[in-house]
């Protein structure tokens, strides 16, 4: 007898997380012997805990297909830390009650490291009770910091946006530097891993091309060396473009942008590395500057998505279903790079216990010797990930996004305790 599946999105969304959702739901529909309904948790695991489920079977194939070109999280995402069963077994019991009430035999959690931790915990708890629930993680993060997989869906498109934006703004600043702005600073995401900052380096090839300076979380910030490099760039080029990761830290390990608050996962709340760096230069050198924070724009720019990224997001969504119906649990499909040139990749898999809460930072040899740029090894790795275009359909000059009904599944349980 076929059983139902629960799919949920988690963490910061990407421009291609819905591509994984689209492929997963469509793949599940081809496995009617194993999967009956695919329910989506409204706002991630929170929706599962609240028994707030969306019946995706009531969405047309056309609408689900259109998700592949739609940014954001179609079913709502969340930042909810599912602690260990020993610390909060009530949540696990509630989750299992929801699973039983709706005959959930497959659980797909689409997210980053913390999400893979959640999927792993659900897999382990269900197994401890002897329940047949196949729990499979679906990787997603623009930070590109999941281990084992060569890259993560969401990263390639965000990287493309950063590289293109850096290239465009450099031409702007170069046009104005003789009489106006000398310094432009772009802040990008990346708490502990500088993958997105590194992507900006693809904008230039020559020694004086922008960005002239990239500040990585992996390289401790040195104020004296940094200011000297800014002065050098101004002298040689007339301007300087700096790309700074939000997670840049000094030699003592303190974030330049830390605000003293923490999110629900216990992570330091960051924001302001860009203006902090710009003001440092202004105070020391008296230069006119502008700064910008890519913020949500870098992770939602579906109009500039990488074709490679979209293809991999879809492939991983499909692979998650295949793993589950084959009886796999506690696993995550991965991307394995076969060759750089021509770029070839295939689907692999990893144990969730090997992925959960492990951050993959950039290798040392991806950073240039002076610490302010990227190496040829980094270019070789990054170039294929931003390759190709996959434009959404346009109507009256604007992208046409998917429109879903999001019809709720009838509740069978009492509301959970607050």
């Amino acid at each position: 007898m076929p059983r139902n599946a629960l799919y949920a999105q988690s963490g910061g969304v990407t421009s291609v997380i819905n591509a994984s959702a689209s492929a997963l739901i469509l793949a599940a529909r081809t496995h009617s012997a194993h999967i009956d309904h695919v329910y989506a948790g409204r706002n991630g695991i929170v929706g599962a805990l609240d028994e707030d489920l969306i019946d995706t079977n009531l969405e047309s194939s056309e609408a689900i297909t259109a998700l592949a070109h739609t940014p954001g999280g179609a079913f709502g995402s969340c930042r909810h830390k599912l602690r260990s069963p020993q610390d909060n077994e009530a949540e696990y019991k509630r989750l299992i009650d929801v699973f039983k009430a709706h005959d959930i035999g497959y659980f797909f959690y689409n997210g980053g490291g913390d999400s893979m931790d959640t999927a792993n915990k659900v897999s382990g708890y269900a197994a401890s009770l002897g329940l047949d629930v196949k729990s499979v993680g679906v990787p997603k993060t623009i930070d590109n910091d999941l281990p084992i997989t060569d890259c993560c869906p969401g990263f390639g498109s965000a990287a493309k946006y950063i590289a293109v934006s850096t290239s465009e703004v450099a031409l702007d600043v170069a046009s104005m530097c003789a009489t106006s702005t000398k310094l432009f600073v772009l802040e990008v995401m990346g708490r502990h891993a500088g993958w997105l900052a590194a992507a900006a380096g693809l904008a230039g090839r020559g020694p004086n091309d922008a960005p002239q300076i990239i500040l990585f979380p992996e390289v401790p910030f040195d104020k004296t060396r940094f200011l000297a490099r800014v002065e050098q760039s101004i002298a040689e080029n007339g301007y300087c473009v700096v790309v700074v990761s939000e997670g840049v830290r000094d030699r003592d390990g303190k974030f330049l942008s830390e605000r003293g608050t923490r999110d629900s996962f216990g992570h330091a709340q960051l924001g302001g590395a860009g203006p902090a760096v710009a003001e440092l230069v202004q105070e020391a050198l008296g230069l006119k500057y502008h700064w910008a924070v890519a913020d949500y724009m870098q992770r939602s720019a579906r109009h500039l998505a990488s074709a490679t990224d979209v293809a991999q997001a879809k492939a991983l969504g499909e692979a998650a279903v295949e793993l589950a119906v084959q009886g796999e649990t506690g696993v995550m499909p991965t991307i394995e790079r076969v060759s750089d040139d021509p770029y070839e990749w295939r689907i692999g898999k990893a144990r969730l216990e090997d992925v959960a809460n492990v951050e993959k930072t950039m290798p040392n040899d991806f950073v240039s010797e002076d610490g302010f740029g990227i190496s040829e090894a980094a270019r070789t790795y990054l170039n294929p990930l931003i390759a190709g275009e996959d434009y959404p359909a346009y109507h009256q000059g604007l992208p046409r996004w998917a429109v879903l009904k999001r019809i709720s599944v009838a509740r069978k349980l009492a509301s959970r305790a607050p």
Side-chain angles (χ1 to χ4, degrees):
M1 289 288 291
R3 301 182 66 197
N4 299 322
L6 175 62
Y7 167 80
Q9 299 172 322
S10 177
V13 296
T14 78
S15 65
V16 300
I17 188 174
N18 286 335
S20 289
S22 171
L24 186 150
I25 293 168
L26 292 175
R29 291 181 178 183
T30 69
H31 286 283
S32 57
H34 295 89
I35 300 175
D36 187 7
H37 285 251
V38 176
Y39 299 140
R42 198 185 301 271
N43 302 320
I45 197 72
V46 173
L49 292 167
D50 289 340
E51 199 190 2
D52 190 359
L53 310 179
I54 297 167
D55 191 348
T56 72
N57 283 37
L58 301 179
E59 308 288 351
S60 69
S61 295
E62 291 76 16
I64 296 299
T65 299
L67 275 183
H69 294 94
T70 303
F75 305 106
S77 188
C78 69
R79 293 194 184 278
H80 180 79
K81 181 72 171 179
L82 198 64
R83 291 175 291 171
S84 68
Q86 293 78 16
D87 293 331
N88 191 0
E89 191 171 12
E91 280 197 324
Y92 290 86
K93 288 181 177 179
R94 170 65 177 185
L95 198 59
I96 294 302
D97 286 344
V98 172
F99 282 7
K100 289 180 176 179
H102 296 277
D103 193 26
I104 303 298
Y106 306 93
F107 175 55
F108 301 104
Y109 210 33
N110 200 172
D114 288 312
S115 305
M116 296 307 102
D117 179 53
T118 294
N120 187 47
K121 287 173 178 173
V122 170
S123 177
Y125 189 73
S128 72
L129 299 179
L131 298 178
D132 183 18
V133 176
K134 304 297 186 289
S135 181
V136 179
V138 186
K140 170 261 3 164
T141 174
I142 68 167
D143 292 329
N144 200 41
D145 59 357
L146 289 181
I148 303 176
T149 186
D150 178 72
C151 58
C152 303
F155 170 69
S157 295
K160 189 182 187 82
Y161 177 85
I162 294 301
V164 170
S165 297
T166 301
S167 176
E168 291 173 336
V169 79
L171 294 173
D172 188 309
V173 179
S175 301
M176 302 296 296
C177 67
T179 59
S180 184
T181 304
K182 301 287 188 184
L183 174 76
F184 182 85
V185 180
L186 176 63
E187 178 183 326
V188 303
M189 289 180 175
R191 178 181 299 274
H192 297 129
W195 297 103
L196 277 175
L202 296 177
R205 296 290 303 188
N208 293 322
D209 290 349
Q212 286 82 14
I213 300 174
I214 303 176
L215 300 177
F216 305 98
E218 292 89 347
V219 180
F221 180 71
D222 185 314
K223 176 181 175 180
T224 301
R225 290 189 67 246
F226 168 68
L227 290 173
R229 185 57 176 265
V230 172
E231 285 190 296
Q232 178 187 358
S233 179
I234 299 295
E236 294 177 351
N237 309 303
Y239 71 98
C240 182
V241 172
V242 178
V243 175
V244 53
S245 171
E246 65 177 351
V248 167
R249 291 170 287 181
D250 61 22
R251 293 193 178 277
D252 295 325
K254 182 179 179 180
F255 291 110
L256 299 187
S257 59
E258 188 168 340
R259 294 181 294 182
T261 56
R262 296 190 175 272
D263 65 15
S264 59
F265 293 109
H267 302 148
Q269 291 278 286
L270 305 183
V277 167
E279 289 166 10
L280 172 66
V281 174
Q282 201 280 330
E283 291 173 3
L285 306 178
L287 299 175
K288 183 175 181 179
Y289 66 83
H290 278 268
W291 58 265
V293 181
D295 203 53
Y296 279 19
M297 292 180 288
Q298 66 202 294
R299 74 186 202 191
S300 60
R302 183 58 184 82
H303 67 287
L304 199 61
S306 151
T308 297
D309 195 27
V310 174
Q312 292 178 341
K314 290 179 179 179
L316 288 167
E318 293 174 356
V321 173
E322 296 298 327
L323 287 169
V325 299
Q326 290 168 15
E328 297 269 11
T329 188
V331 297
M332 180 191 84
T334 63
I335 298 296
E336 294 181 351
R337 184 176 297 223
V338 177
S339 67
D340 294 317
D341 188 15
Y343 178 59
E344 295 180 0
W345 56 275
R346 65 191 175 201
I347 297 294
K349 70 176 179 179
R351 300 296 307 175
L352 286 175
E353 61 187 10
D354 297 326
V355 176
N357 299 315
V358 178
E359 289 182 306
K360 177 181 69 177
T361 57
M362 285 202 309
N364 291 335
D365 66 350
F366 276 24
V367 180
S368 60
E369 290 185 8
D370 63 6
F372 289 127
I374 62 173
S375 66
E376 283 303 312
R379 291 183 185 278
T380 298
Y381 170 81
L382 292 166
N383 274 323
L385 304 185
I386 70 168
E389 289 67 53
D390 188 273
Y391 299 118
Y394 278 75
H395 177 67
Q396 295 183 344
L398 293 173
R400 175 174 284 175
W401 309 131
V403 178
L404 301 183
K405 300 173 184 176
R406 298 185 181 88
I407 297 174
S408 295
V409 178
R411 297 176 189 267
K412 299 182 179 181
L413 303 173
S415 298
R416 67 168 170 151

